Amino acid sequence: MTKKHLFLLFAALSAALMLAVSCGEPEQKEPDTLSVSLTELSFTAEDASTKLLSIKSNTSWVVSASADWIILDKTSGSGNAPLAVKVSTNDGDDREGTISVKGAQAVTVKVTQSGGKVSYLTPVPVAFDGKKRAGTIYQLLVYSFADSNGDGIGDFNGITSKLDYLDDMGVSALWLSPIHPAMSYHGYDVKDYYSVNPEYGTEEDFKNLLSKAKAKGIDIYLDYVLNHAGKDHPWFQSAKASESSPYRDYFVFSTNPAADISAGRLAMFPKNGYDSGQWFSCVSGSASSMKVKFTLTLDAAGKPKTLKIEQVDEISNSGTPTSGIWLYYGDGKMSQFYTTGGSVCTLSIDISSSWGVLIRTSQTQWDSYKYGAPSSNHQLEWGKELTLSNTDASDILLPGMDILMYHSHFWTDWFADFNYGPASTSETSPAFIDLAASADKWINMGVGGLRLDAVKHIYWDENSNENPTFLDKWYQRCNATYKAAGNTGNIYMVGEVFSEASKTFNYYKGLPSVFEFSFWWGVKDALNNRSAGSFVNNLISWRSSYTAKRADAVPAIKLTNHDENRAASDLGKSEAKEKQAAAILLTAEGRPVFYQGEELGYWGVKDGGDEYVRTPMKWTKSGAVASGRLGGKVDNSMLTASISVEAQNEAANSLMNVYKTFSKVRNTYPALASGKMSSANISGSTILSWYMTSSDGQKVLVVHNVASSAKTVDVPGDISKPIAVLGSAAVKGGQVILEANSSVVFLQ
């Protein structure tokens, strides 16, 4: 091979080798990618915000929305880029759409928007099964509730005739004002605990009421006055007349209260608790068929000066009757003195007097025509002259009579307080034993409970353990009678402690229920101030304090009663507030109490007399009312046809029908009837809200707007099942709108 041939061969091989080295393996291309930062976007009905999606890709992409309400800032792009998304306002129902991003892959993003459509809530409670679960109590005044015989005075048969109305109100018990004979129309100054006031009917009438009420699932509770009797009660009349009276120890007596209390001789009082303003004088002893001679001396002006008494065997008067001087010894009885013309007048008489005597110089006038004992000396002593007073003319006590003092907590001589001795042994006191025996009669007859009047005043120190100790003994005693009569469960007993809630905690040591006056005061403040304040937190806290004292404690919740200004007056006669007060009452924890006429919107204040807050029921548009025991103290301008039961039955949206509606819902749902309150923590300065949960786990959410305008609130939990609505409530975009003074209850 020539050199030329070798050179050409070498060049070819070199070229081939270089070609092989320069090409190597084939180059690999990176794959196309696409991802989106979120898979779901959520908007509210009026959401004006812009939400960003982050698109990451190494190639181009296109984007589209499934609906025109989804607004995109671009429809295509390449590489990495943000995508801005907005939505238009939604005035309709909830809606849903998608955003599609297509490139190397296809990605779908879900878009949802809540609806802005306002859906007004219509309550759909389950059908009421007829079982009254709430234990609601109706307080009625026997004398002014219903008159069956046309004498103008309410009576037992009148109540019986209205049992259908009370059953329709959903009540489980009637608390009757005192039914016993008494000194006053209201009945709190009892004269006989063992009988009924004949103005109200007979015992047979009362038994008939018990029977007919029981047939409708309604108990009868009596108002029992354990603190005091009326001063005309035969027990007190006997007790004050003689130390040997079997009733002497029934009452608190003293001739020197300050000394007796200081020495610890009066067990109902702490040693440092003397209050002279609560003691009233009475006369012990009496003069009966006592033959005596009174000798009266006159001063230079011929006016009575001194009086002397002597016993005689025979009645003999000589001389001529005086021109104008009489001995007065009670009940309109007067005898004229005799004179022989000098400064001495005499009178022989067979006298009978329970309180003593006075000298009078007029048969018709008192004031300056009355002569009596000076305050320093009330007593006539045999054969001794007593100097008379014309300016400080007190009753003149006859020999054998004494001035006693008896106690009353209520700043009146109309009541006489019972004496139970030391609280620790009160059940052994004669007063306790007798009063318990009287209660036995009514419990054995079928009475299912007692409302105890003024229990913080039984023992003088209302903040000590004495009253709770006494009340526990009374409750246990009555409960034993109740069970022995064949009843299941326990007797109902509720005490009146007219104080703020914090001062009632201790009373649950003695009773299972105490009236919660602070409940109404809190409702009133919330409605009038248009502010939720601390109302809900207070209620929850108080209930915890009650059960700390007694596991089965249940407060009696109420608006007003017979001793307070009417709720309508305190709420400025605002029907919207009155309706919401009823709704709050019937959705809170406790045992509700309705007061006669409150469901009709009765107003009234105590300024002119308590009668004005004890107005008779107006049953028909034109019929009479039971006003005969109220002494004309009735506001007839209120008792028009429109406020009557008849008229309010016809008006679907009346106050009375609000009571009926919420009462039925409370009776239907155990959570409302007997549930426990817990905070719902819904924000809003005018929103009252809480949960009620029953022992079997049923739960409801309660929301009240006490504002004067509509409020929109975010409500937790399920709002798809409203069971009660007051006023106007609606759902918009998942939120609840409550108009002024509107309320809603949701089943959870």
Side-chain angles (χ1 to χ4, degrees):
M1 182 179 292
T2 64
K3 291 183 177 179
K4 180 178 179 180
H5 287 149
L6 288 171
F7 175 79
L8 291 173
L9 178 62
F10 178 77
L13 289 172
S14 297
L17 180 62
M18 290 180 65
L19 179 62
V21 172
S22 65
C23 290
E25 294 295 327
E27 184 178 353
Q28 298 296 316
K29 182 180 179 182
E30 181 181 343
D32 295 338
T33 61
L34 182 142
S35 65
V36 181
S37 58
L38 297 172
T39 60
E40 184 172 348
L41 296 176
S42 178
F43 295 86
T44 61
E46 298 178 354
D47 200 334
S49 65
T50 298
K51 300 184 186 299
L52 293 178
L53 293 173
S54 177
I55 299 175
K56 294 184 178 181
S57 178
N58 60 1
T59 185
S60 61
W61 40 264
V62 294
V63 60
S64 62
S66 64
D68 58 7
W69 56 270
I70 304 173
I71 304 167
L72 308 175
D73 73 333
K74 57 177 67 74
T75 58
S76 63
S78 62
N80 298 335
L83 175 66
V85 183
K86 298 179 69 172
V87 293
S88 60
T89 299
N90 182 13
D91 294 325
D93 297 321
D94 292 353
R95 57 193 180 186
E96 183 177 307
T98 59
I99 298 172
S100 295
V101 183
K102 295 180 180 179
Q105 289 89 28
V107 177
T108 299
V109 177
K110 182 180 178 181
V111 182
T112 59
Q113 185 180 24
S114 57
K117 182 179 179 180
V118 175
S119 300
Y120 287 93
L121 297 175
T122 300
V124 188
V126 298
F128 178 47
D129 60 6
K131 183 178 180 181
K132 290 184 279 191
R133 298 171 171 83
T136 303
I137 302 168
Y138 189 97
Q139 179 195 359
L140 64 83
L141 311 171
V142 180
Y143 51 85
S144 67
F145 186 68
D147 171 21
S148 69
N149 59 10
D151 65 356
I153 301 172
D155 47 48
F156 299 136
N157 289 336
I159 300 169
T160 303
S161 72
K162 302 302 180 184
L163 287 174
D164 284 343
Y165 169 80
L166 294 161
D167 188 40
D168 198 31
M169 290 294 295
V171 303
S172 298
L174 306 182
W175 154 24
L176 309 186
S177 61
I179 66 169
H180 310 300
M183 298 164 59
S184 303
Y185 78 93
H186 51 66
Y188 288 95
D189 37 23
V190 178
K191 294 194 296 185
D192 182 1
Y193 287 87
Y194 287 88
S195 64
V196 299
N197 187 332
E199 290 186 332
Y200 303 158
T202 64
E203 275 195 18
E204 290 305 311
D205 294 331
F206 182 66
K207 289 177 182 177
N208 181 57
L209 170 60
L210 286 168
S211 175
K212 296 291 176 59
K214 184 177 181 180
K216 291 187 176 294
I218 298 175
D219 278 330
I220 300 296
Y221 300 159
L222 296 186
D223 202 322
Y224 235 67
V225 188
L226 295 179
N227 173 261
H228 58 265
K231 69 174 183 178
D232 288 348
H233 195 298
W235 294 347
F236 184 68
Q237 291 298 313
S238 173
K240 73 173 186 174
S242 170
E243 288 188 41
S244 61
S245 167
Y247 304 105
R248 185 68 168 218
D249 289 338
Y250 278 42
F251 300 94
V252 181
F253 286 115
S254 176
T255 56
N256 190 335
D260 285 344
I261 290 173
S262 179
R265 290 189 286 267
L266 298 180
M268 305 285 289
F269 299 82
K271 288 185 178 182
N272 61 349
Y274 177 69
D275 186 338
S276 60
Q278 293 175 316
W279 290 85
F280 300 90
S281 64
C282 64
V283 175
S284 175
S286 64
S288 179
S289 297
M290 187 167 60
K291 295 177 181 179
V292 297
K293 175 184 178 182
F294 288 98
T295 301
L296 179 70
T297 63
L298 308 177
D299 63 16
K303 296 180 179 180
K305 181 179 179 182
T306 65
L307 183 68
K308 183 173 66 173
I309 186 172
E310 299 171 289
Q311 286 186 298
V312 295
D313 295 328
E314 298 293 335
I315 301 301
S316 176
N317 287 299
S318 59
T320 59
T322 59
S323 59
I325 303 176
W326 291 267
L327 179 76
Y328 178 74
Y329 45 102
D331 298 325
K333 296 180 292 186
M334 287 185 282
S335 295
Q336 201 162 12
F337 278 90
Y338 292 82
T339 179
T340 56
S343 61
V344 176
C345 304
T346 60
L347 172 64
S348 290
I349 187 173
D350 188 349
I351 193 170
S352 175
S353 175
S354 62
W355 58 269
V357 298
L358 287 169
I359 307 300
R360 293 178 60 175
T361 56
S362 171
Q363 288 182 292
T364 59
Q365 299 181 71
W366 289 90
D367 300 327
S368 60
Y369 299 92
K370 179 178 72 172
Y371 294 78
S375 58
S376 59
N377 183 12
H378 293 263
Q379 193 79 55
L380 265 180
E381 298 181 49
W382 297 115
K384 294 184 179 180
E385 288 187 338
L386 174 70
T387 300
L388 300 175
S389 172
N390 183 227
T391 57
D392 184 17
S394 301
D395 297 343
I396 303 168
L397 301 183
L398 300 175
M401 292 182 176
D402 292 312
I403 285 287
L404 280 176
M405 300 193 76
Y406 69 94
H407 187 259
S408 169
H409 271 94
F410 293 98
W411 303 94
T412 175
D413 64 357
W414 214 247
F415 302 149
D417 279 15
F418 285 117
N419 173 34
Y420 296 110
S424 59
T425 57
S426 55
E427 76 278 15
T428 65
S429 67
F432 187 106
I433 293 169
D434 214 335
L435 284 164
S438 74
D440 287 346
K441 172 180 177 175
W442 308 111
I443 296 169
N444 287 322
M445 192 180 289
V447 166
L450 301 177
R451 179 265 186 186
L452 304 182
D453 182 60
V455 296
K456 74 176 185 178
H457 294 300
I458 295 173
Y459 282 81
W460 195 91
D461 186 356
E462 64 186 74
N463 298 314
S464 74
N465 282 317
E466 291 171 302
N467 285 316
T469 297
F470 169 86
L471 292 168
D472 179 61
K473 292 176 181 293
W474 178 264
Y475 174 73
Q476 298 301 336
R477 172 67 169 75
C478 292
N479 203 31
T481 301
Y482 184 77
K483 290 178 178 294
N487 295 293
T488 57
N490 297 315
I491 192 171
Y492 180 70
M493 201 169 289
V494 59
E496 180 205 21
V497 182
F498 205 147
S499 298
E500 57 269 25
S502 61
K503 292 187 177 180
T504 68
F505 299 161
N506 217 32
Y507 284 82
Y508 282 96
K509 291 180 178 178
L511 294 173
S513 190
V514 176
F515 285 106
E516 191 174 61
F517 287 88
S518 289
F519 179 88
W520 162 238
W521 299 335
V523 170
K524 178 175 62 175
D525 287 347
L527 290 171
N528 285 339
N529 296 332
R530 303 288 187 182
S531 172
S534 58
F535 177 71
V536 176
N537 289 337
N538 285 342
L539 291 187
I540 294 170
S541 173
W542 295 336
R543 278 141 188 72
S544 177
S545 297
Y546 303 152
T547 53
K549 300 292 185 182
R550 186 188 198 98
D552 61 349
V554 177
I557 56 176
K558 46 167 275 307
L559 301 186
T560 60
N561 68 16
H562 63 292
D563 286 325
E564 301 173 277
N565 291 342
R566 285 279 189 174
S569 292
D570 280 352
L571 296 176
K573 299 182 185 177
S574 164
E575 187 176 51
K577 291 180 181 179
E578 293 167 46
K579 289 178 177 179
Q580 192 162 46
I584 294 170
L585 174 69
L586 286 166
T587 55
E589 180 185 343
R591 191 164 183 192
V593 183
F594 302 162
Y595 174 41
Q596 167 183 317
E598 204 157 53
E599 75 274 27
L600 302 178
Y602 278 9
W603 61 82
V605 297
K606 293 160 54 75
D607 294 352
D610 288 343
E611 294 88 342
Y612 287 106
V613 299
R614 300 171 183 178
T615 304
M617 288 288 284
K618 187 166 180 61
W619 294 101
T620 59
K621 294 178 183 179
S622 59
V625 297
S627 59
R629 294 298 276 126
L630 297 175
K633 294 184 177 181
V634 178
D635 184 357
N636 289 307
S637 69
M638 175 179 68
L639 296 180
T640 59
S642 62
I643 209 167
S644 67
V645 171
E646 180 184 1
Q648 295 205 33
N649 259 328
E650 296 170 354
N653 198 37
S654 68
L655 175 61
M656 186 183 75
N657 281 321
V658 169
Y659 271 89
K660 285 185 179 181
T661 297
F662 273 81
S663 182
K664 181 176 287 188
V665 173
R666 188 178 181 97
N667 275 322
T668 301
Y669 291 90
L672 280 174
S674 57
K676 302 298 181 184
M677 290 181 72
S678 60
S679 178
N681 293 318
I682 296 177
S683 61
S685 63
T686 67
I687 302 300
L688 304 177
S689 64
W690 56 82
Y691 290 108
M692 292 282 283
T693 307
S694 63
S695 58
D696 63 2
Q698 186 183 74
K699 189 175 185 179
V700 298
L701 173 63
V702 178
V703 189
H704 302 280
N705 174 28
V706 298
S708 58
S709 60
K711 299 295 178 182
T712 301
V713 292
D714 291 312
V715 176
D718 188 354
I719 59 174
S720 67
K721 292 175 282 189
I723 59 174
V725 175
L726 171 69
S728 177
V731 172
K732 179 180 179 182
Q735 295 179 301
V736 174
I737 303 170
L738 286 170
E739 296 295 333
N741 291 118
S742 291
S743 307
V744 62
V745 182
F746 296 103
L747 182 64
Q748 297 295 285

